[in-house]
Amino acid sequence: MNYSKINIAMGWLCFFIAALTYILTLDQSVSFWDCGEFIAAAYRMEVVHQPGAPMVSMIQRLFSTLALGDKTLVAYFMNVSSALASAGTILFLFWTITALAKKTILKKEEEISTSKLISIMGAGLVGALAYAFSDSFWFSAVEAEVYAMSSLCTAIVLWGILKWESHADEPKADRWLLFVAYMMGISIGIHLLNLLAIPALIFIYYFKKHPNPRLKNVIKVFVISILALATVQFGIIQYLVSFAANFDFFFVNTLGLGFGSGILFFVLLLICGLVYGIHYAIRKHKKALNIILLFTTLLIFGYSSFAILIIRAHAKPNLNNTDPENAFNFLSYVNRSQYGDRPLLYGENYNSEKIDIKETGTLYRKGKNKYELAGTKSEYVFADKTLMPRMYSDKPEHINFYKNYMGFDDAHQPTLMDNLSYMFSFQTGQMYMRYFMWNFVGRQDNEDGQLGGRNGAWLSGVKPIDALRLGNQSHLPPSITENKAYNRFFFLPLIIGLIGAIWHFKRNHKDAGVIGLLFVFTGVAIVIYLNSVPIEPRERDYAYVGSFYAFAIWIGLGVLGLKDWLFQKLSPAKAGLFASFTAILMVPVLMAVQGWDDHDRSESHVAHDMAVNYLESCAPNAILFTYGDNDTYPVWYAQEVENVRPDVRVVNLSLFTADWYIDGLKRKQNQSEPLPITLKPEQYVAGTRDVMYYQDYKIAQHVELKDILEVLLSDNDADKVTMNDGTKYNILPTRNLKLTVNPKQVLDTGTVPKEDAGKIAESMEWTYTGNYVSKGTLVLFDILTHNNWERPIYFTSAMPDEQYIGLDKYLYTEGLNKHLLPLKSDRSQADGKDLINPKPMFNNLMNVYGYGNIKNANHLNRQSADDVTYVSNMFSGLLTKLIDEGKINEGKKIANQYFQVIPDKFYTMRQVVSTFYFTESLYRLNDLNRANAMISKSANHINKELTYLADVSESKDQLASAQNVRIYLTYLAQMVKLTQTFKQSGLSKQLENQYNELIQRFTPFASS
């Protein structure tokens, strides 16, 4: 019986099962979050956000050629690259599990028996397929993100070191170490998470060379492994670039040579040093030194993939994050400077007093002939600091969260124990263990659960156990049972994994310790190292898939534990078969069945259609201001790949403060001419006018924006204020701003149609909402001043209100975008509701927009579900406006379109709330049947949700989800009044009875 052939064949079987699964459930186009940026950048070889992923871009670019020129298929084939990389991960995971299993149960030189072969193959199948169908890994496998390829690199590296271990006594075994080194270097160009496997690799090497280690030496090796990780993370990735930058600074600024000369010298010096060191190690027979130097050389070879970013930056592509075309920009890029620093082992709390500012370094930028000073790096000096600061952010939303979560009053100063408590309970418990349980115990829904409470919780399906945590589970509501992410694993994957871990530690504690080290370093250690703030933009479970990978190894080895402990009375062959078959049913089959619907994206294309909608609803040659990832990255994809509306200039306000980004806006991109920016580079270059604070000069009247711009750009000391250190800064002297409107101009450019000529305002007057003017806002002022209404200006509706800089009363909703129009204030909509421009909005909703198949798609993740509510709100707002204006026929068409587009079921409470206002409009249209049906459906949903929350409240003897209870009851009461108003007495009475019954159940908890 040829073990090797069977092992290879079974591994490829796992590969094909995984690949088929991922391709069948693959997103057919662009996804939300970073995918749009990665696809666009890969297709046109551009520069993505830090720390960069050049290998991903190159591989995805190759896959894009499979589209054979059909640009609409580019995203699909890049998604396929993730699917195949993920399937490759499963392949190498299978071989890793079988290698560990074989090593553990088979003595050296022992002939493998049929029973042991069955057990080993069963272990590989169960563990590999369990990981294949795990929630977090599956999610990344069907979209063009970096995590699929990152996981593949980790899997290859771990498999490679085990391959070395099995051949370590052979003459050429060390080639496997060099293979591992090169793969780790390659992985740097994909994602840095792979480096966390270094400690595990070092321990495998050490245990092979020292079969009987002492505890003292194990501790030493652990310290060495941490130092090795730090050497690669900081020494190679960051300090090599830092040394190169400093060499270039010396050669350019001191010796007067050209840019890049110092880098070339440094590279030659590095190459010569490595060559000499390797030659010396060979000549002196210093094997360890030779391995270390070769390992370093191959790591650097792999890391050299970043050179493509420098090459492409010189080409000035449309997406050119940080413009890393020179040494200092590239250093800033790999250091992730724009994201700032977070305290790790020692630092401030959120309410530590700031007593001073100290300089920590100097910033340089590339000038015309030499590097110029761009400012200084600085940090606050705090009156008090603590060890292990976990609650450090002084942003108001974070401070409120810290205090509410920990129960602190305003005067409390967090101690070391407070920070540790927060780290274990929230950062580790809520933001890691919850993800772990999602993958191996079960998941309640796809709602964001970062803030705790009942959203986004883990749920096993074992109701008595779930009830202990979450309260009475007798009447689970639609928000859970109808949620695609309602996955119940009944603890089975966790139990099998724990059996595998215990069995592994009993049979081979050294290998088990290595897997445990990998598990900790790619899980809890990341939590500690990242020290993340609360309220992230989205759930971050994808960051911990390495930890879940390690646990999947133990799930596989759990087959051997089952065989030894549960089926020991059977013959060895039957025991292996029974254990394998039982574990396959209990883990991968169960996980696949439960997880298929919430990972099947084959019918949904929300991100794609939303991106196209943003662009297609703009007038020709428009300027579209975006803000967040999900209203920017998919739009970049649509323009850069599918060439949708190349005349529209997309401006991301999140990047607007960077000089390199402003440089790009002053160039032509696609078919979009440069923006009307008059600022000269020296007026906005890095370190100049980064922040200009508001100082009230008591100016009552509104001041022309052009005059304010002159003050902000003035080099006259009279227009500046002097700081404590003697430096002078421009300031904003008033928040009352004005832009005079030339009626002929706005009519000639088509900004305002001729029929609305009487609505044109003499001037746009508004109050700026910020306390300071950032560089981006300065450029926005410049665009508003000098655009002369030649290019239509839009803002996406999804951004925070403060990004509108106070222009709200001139921003008219036309669908997904708000159009800046110089019209007189509409007093009829001065109650806080969005201003609506009904004619273009009607056309967009009826004729222009695609809706991503939200009505029938099998998969709607949280963002897509939110977009259902967003689209519903658009229809509701427009319908109300049309009825107010007496346009009943148009209103009926919009109502019919709503029912064609919006799903029949409710996905979130937000959708229920949105439906209420639409129902009110249906009553106003006298569409009583559909209005009553929607009211009944809403009331039924609310009744089920509140019945569940009442059950939970009674079982926990405290009010559960107070905000949800309050909102649902409020809208149920409004439904009673609404049906009364429109004389639907029978329905109204029914709703009133329902409301009273629910009020009675919640009354005992009113005080809580």
Side-chain angles (χ1 to χ4, degrees), residues 803-964:
Q803 296 300 322
Y804 300 133
I805 63 170
L807 286 168
D808 306 63
K809 61 182 178 180
Y810 301 105
L811 291 172
Y812 286 77
T813 299
E814 296 182 352
L816 293 173
N817 299 331
K818 294 175 181 284
H819 192 176
L820 183 66
L821 295 173
L823 302 179
K824 297 173 183 177
S825 179
D826 187 347
R827 297 296 177 186
S828 66
Q829 297 194 46
D831 56 356
K833 293 183 180 179
D834 286 345
L835 300 172
I836 289 178
N837 196 3
K839 186 175 179 179
M841 188 171 180
F842 179 87
N843 181 58
N844 286 333
L845 294 184
M846 293 296 297
N847 306 314
V848 176
Y849 284 178
Y851 296 98
N853 195 29
I854 57 176
K855 185 169 182 73
N856 303 307
N858 188 43
H859 168 89
L860 283 179
N861 58 22
R862 179 175 180 265
Q863 180 61 46
S864 300
D866 283 347
D867 284 334
V868 171
T869 304
Y870 194 60
V871 172
S872 177
N873 287 336
M874 285 196 297
F875 277 99
S876 182
L878 177 58
L879 182 55
T880 300
K881 178 69 171 177
L882 291 173
I883 296 172
D884 289 344
E885 293 184 350
K887 298 176 181 177
I888 302 303
N889 289 333
E890 288 91 336
K892 289 180 178 179
K893 291 178 181 179
I894 283 294
N896 291 334
Q897 179 79 333
Y898 174 94
F899 286 104
Q900 291 293 317
V901 168
I902 301 299
D904 295 326
K905 68 169 63 175
F906 294 122
Y907 287 95
T908 64
M909 180 178 67
R910 299 177 290 279
Q911 193 180 344
V912 178
V913 173
S914 171
T915 300
F916 172 82
Y917 297 102
F918 188 81
T919 307
E920 182 180 19
S921 294
L922 288 178
Y923 278 125
R924 294 177 65 192
L925 285 174
N926 202 33
D927 193 345
L928 299 181
N929 289 334
R930 290 200 295 197
N932 288 338
M934 291 192 76
I935 283 285
S936 297
K937 184 175 74 169
S938 299
N940 181 53
H941 181 91
I942 290 174
N943 186 60
K944 290 178 179 179
E945 295 291 327
L946 289 181
T947 297
Y948 168 70
L949 293 177
D951 288 346
V952 172
S953 300
E954 290 165 357
S955 64
K956 290 290 188 180
D957 197 27
Q958 63 180 24
L959 183 62
S961 301
Q963 184 180 20
N964 288 15

Side-chain angles (χ1 to χ4, degrees), residues 382-654:
F382 294 92
D384 55 274
K385 291 188 176 184
T386 184
L387 290 171
M388 296 298 290
R390 306 291 102 176
M391 297 177 284
Y392 58 87
S393 173
D394 59 0
K395 290 186 177 180
E397 64 270 25
H398 296 156
I399 292 175
N400 290 334
F401 179 85
Y402 295 142
K403 292 193 294 188
N404 291 334
Y405 185 84
M406 297 297 292
F408 295 156
D409 58 33
D410 292 342
H412 185 83
Q413 189 74 24
T415 63
L416 169 62
M417 294 309 297
D418 290 333
N419 278 283
L420 291 177
S421 174
Y422 175 79
M423 181 182 76
F424 286 117
S425 63
F426 180 76
Q427 290 183 321
T428 304
Q430 182 69 9
M431 299 306 291
Y432 169 72
M433 283 306 301
R434 181 169 56 95
Y435 299 148
F436 178 83
M437 302 298 265
W438 277 2
N439 283 271
F440 303 115
V441 173
R443 184 172 180 177
Q444 176 177 280
D445 53 46
N446 62 0
E447 288 288 293
D448 192 315
Q450 296 183 74
L451 301 183
R454 303 191 177 278
N455 290 335
W458 64 267
L459 190 77
S460 69
V462 182
K463 287 195 174 181
I465 296 178
D466 293 335
L468 288 175
R469 295 177 47 251
L470 302 172
N472 189 335
Q473 301 288 293
S474 300
H475 301 100
L476 290 176
S479 62
I480 295 177
T481 59
E482 295 180 8
N483 193 295
K484 299 294 186 182
Y486 178 45
N487 300 330
R488 291 139 293 161
F489 303 150
F490 310 105
F491 287 97
L492 295 176
L494 176 65
I495 291 170
I496 301 299
L498 292 176
I499 289 173
I502 294 169
W503 180 88
H504 202 199
F505 274 101
K506 283 188 173 182
R507 297 291 295 268
N508 188 337
H509 64 274
K510 288 187 288 188
D511 280 0
V514 169
I515 302 304
L517 196 66
L518 180 65
F519 177 75
V520 171
F521 265 80
T522 54
V524 175
I526 295 179
V527 174
I528 296 172
Y529 176 73
L530 292 180
N531 194 13
S532 298
V533 295
I535 322 176
E536 293 271 22
R538 58 169 167 158
E539 299 277 21
R540 300 294 193 188
D541 55 301
Y542 54 82
Y544 306 107
V545 291
S547 179
F548 308 151
Y549 181 95
F551 193 78
I553 293 174
W554 282 333
I555 289 177
L557 297 180
V559 170
L560 302 173
L562 287 176
K563 175 190 174 185
D564 287 357
W565 299 336
L566 294 184
F567 299 102
Q568 53 185 310
K569 293 184 178 180
L570 300 176
S571 67
K574 287 183 178 179
L577 277 173
F578 271 95
S580 300
F581 185 72
T582 301
I584 285 174
L585 289 178
M586 292 170 65
V587 184
V589 170
L590 175 64
M591 295 171 75
V593 170
Q594 290 285 312
W596 191 279
D597 56 357
D598 54 307
H599 294 91
D600 182 8
R601 305 194 204 177
S602 59
E603 298 177 346
S604 176
H605 40 90
V606 179
H608 173 273
D609 282 6
M610 286 300 197
V612 174
N613 293 346
Y614 277 124
L615 292 168
E616 291 291 5
S617 54
C618 291
N621 202 33
I623 302 169
L624 174 62
F625 290 101
T626 66
Y627 181 73
D629 292 359
N630 287 337
D631 64 353
T632 302
Y633 293 158
V635 174
W636 283 353
Y637 156 81
Q639 274 201 326
E640 298 293 288
V641 179
E642 294 193 14
N643 201 36
V644 176
R645 294 298 304 276
D647 60 303
V648 176
R649 178 59 67 96
V650 179
V651 181
N652 181 268
L653 294 175
S654 307

Side-chain angles (χ1 to χ4, degrees), residues 614-807:
Y614 277 124
L615 292 168
E616 291 291 5
S617 54
C618 291
N621 202 33
I623 302 169
L624 174 62
F625 290 101
T626 66
Y627 181 73
D629 292 359
N630 287 337
D631 64 353
T632 302
Y633 293 158
V635 174
W636 283 353
Y637 156 81
Q639 274 201 326
E640 298 293 288
V641 179
E642 294 193 14
N643 201 36
V644 176
R645 294 298 304 276
D647 60 303
V648 176
R649 178 59 67 96
V650 179
V651 181
N652 181 268
L653 294 175
S654 307
L655 300 175
F656 214 13
T657 57
D659 58 352
W660 56 267
Y661 189 70
I662 299 169
D663 287 340
L665 298 177
K666 295 174 71 175
R667 294 192 292 268
K668 182 176 180 178
Q669 292 185 5
N670 303 319
Q671 295 176 18
S672 169
E673 295 299 322
L675 292 189
I677 298 174
T678 64
L679 273 70
K680 299 174 183 177
E682 58 268 22
Q683 293 177 311
Y684 63 83
V685 73
T688 303
R689 293 184 175 84
D690 291 331
V691 177
M692 290 156 285
Y693 288 99
Y694 165 66
Q695 187 163 327
D696 190 0
Y697 273 55
K698 307 299 181 183
I699 302 173
Q701 71 274 22
H702 286 76
V703 180
E704 194 68 44
L705 188 59
K706 181 179 180 181
D707 297 332
I708 291 295
L709 190 63
E710 289 179 358
V711 172
L712 293 172
L713 294 175
S714 173
D715 291 324
N716 189 340
D717 287 349
D719 294 321
K720 299 180 180 182
V721 296
T722 304
M723 308 300 286
N724 293 334
D725 60 359
T727 57
K728 296 181 182 293
Y729 286 88
N730 295 89
I731 52 92
L732 176 68
T734 180
R735 289 195 180 108
N736 298 322
L737 309 178
K738 179 175 71 172
L739 194 63
T740 299
V741 178
N742 182 337
K744 183 178 184 303
Q745 195 175 49
V746 297
L747 290 171
D748 289 346
T749 58
T751 302
V752 177
K754 292 181 179 179
E755 61 264 27
D756 291 334
K759 298 179 182 179
I760 298 174
E762 293 181 1
S763 65
M764 290 171 49
E765 298 181 352
W766 75 97
T767 301
Y768 179 66
T769 54
N771 291 318
Y772 60 88
V773 173
S774 68
K775 189 178 298 181
T777 307
L778 176 68
V779 182
L780 178 54
F781 286 170
D782 191 18
I783 292 172
L784 292 174
T785 301
H786 296 100
N787 183 47
N788 298 320
W789 302 104
E790 293 173 0
R791 301 183 69 165
I793 293 177
Y794 296 84
F795 291 78
T796 63
S797 298
M799 65 178 65
D801 289 344
E802 61 266 20
Q803 296 300 322
Y804 300 133
I805 63 170
L807 286 168

